[in-house]
Amino acid sequence: MNTAPSLRTQVKRGAPKASYDPALLHAIVDAAYICQIAFADAHGVHCIPTACWRSGDHLYIHGSNGSRMLQRLTEQDCCVTITHLDGLVLARSAFSHTMNYRSAMVYGRFEVVGEAAKRQALEDFMEHLVPGRQALVRSGNDKEYAATTALRISLAEAVCKVRSGPPSDDEEDMGIATWAGVLPLAQVRGTPVPDPQCALPAPDHVRDWVTS
């Protein structure tokens, strides 16, 4: 069910493209490996890309305890964005060209993930990157976990904006003799490249990387 927008998530420009459906929001976040986080400090306004993942109704990030960004994010509200570009839309008029995309914008304040939950959160991150990987690698040790901060932000105040389909030309431009349509774009998984110092056969999660 769609949730009501807040003053910060109310879309006014291109409102028909907006959605407040939590299922769509979760799908957009789950398809992402990177988000962009905008915040401010004494040096100005910053927008920093960082790895992200979702568990339940929260988006998670992590980093070094000394990270300036992580320190600031628990002190102020911020804005998190994710965008997937799905295609370039070529119209008959230059000003009707657009893009097909799926995007999400989240507002709120990050909170520190407690020590009891941090290990599980970081294991969830590994599973988000490559399902099945966590069980086959050395887990973090106490020193590594102690040097790492995990934060999470609620997805309660968020909005999605999506555009799909062919161009929408004005009626008076429909007779222009030029090609119109969509140039699709997609993230493609390439063939795994083994470490030259690794002679072991690829496990299932590596062999299945291209087709999963």
Side-chain angles (χ1 to χ4, degrees):
M1 178 180 294
N2 287 5
T3 57
S6 69
L7 290 176
R8 296 191 290 193
T9 61
Q10 177 71 58
V11 174
K12 297 180 180 179
R13 180 76 64 179
K17 299 182 180 71
S19 173
Y20 303 91
D21 181 4
L24 176 60
L25 173 63
H26 289 179
I28 291 173
V29 174
D30 289 347
Y33 294 103
I34 298 289
C35 67
Q36 289 76 37
I37 304 177
F39 67 101
D41 66 9
H43 301 286
V45 178
H46 315 278
C47 185
I48 297 180
T50 190
C52 66
W53 70 101
R54 182 184 67 87
S55 181
D57 293 323
H58 289 82
L59 178 145
Y60 287 73
I61 63 172
H62 80 298
S64 166
N65 291 347
S67 165
R68 177 186 61 174
M69 179 179 74
L70 267 58
Q71 293 170 0
R72 297 288 84 77
L73 290 179
T74 61
E75 302 169 353
Q76 60 180 262
D77 279 12
C78 68
C79 180
V80 181
T81 63
I82 291 171
T83 302
H84 303 289
L85 182 59
D86 297 323
L88 304 180
V89 182
L90 309 187
R92 294 161 182 84
S93 164
F95 276 75
S96 292
H97 283 59
T98 185
M99 300 179 185
N100 285 340
Y101 60 89
R102 291 159 290 137
S103 66
M105 182 175 289
V106 180
Y107 288 95
R109 184 171 300 190
F110 278 90
E111 61 183 5
V112 176
V113 177
E115 291 299 319
K118 181 167 64 175
R119 288 176 181 258
Q120 183 61 56
L122 293 175
E123 290 181 6
D124 289 345
F125 174 45
M126 182 69 73
E127 287 300 297
H128 170 64
L129 291 176
V130 185
R133 187 68 180 166
Q134 178 66 38
L136 298 181
V137 299
R138 177 182 68 79
S139 296
N141 57 41
D142 291 344
K143 181 179 179 180
E144 290 168 329
Y145 278 112
T148 303
T149 297
L151 301 182
R152 70 176 193 172
I153 187 172
S154 171
L155 296 172
E157 188 179 3
V159 58
C160 303
K161 200 172 182 183
V162 176
R163 203 269 182 201
S164 62
S168 300
D169 279 295
D170 293 334
E171 187 63 35
E172 59 266 27
D173 292 328
M174 293 301 293
I176 296 175
T178 190
W179 189 90
V182 178
L183 303 180
L185 290 169
Q187 182 172 263
V188 177
R189 296 188 175 193
T191 302
V193 179
D195 180 345
Q197 300 184 61
C198 179
L200 297 174
D204 289 345
H205 67 267
V206 173
R207 290 195 302 269
D208 297 340
W209 171 250
V210 174
T211 58
S212 61

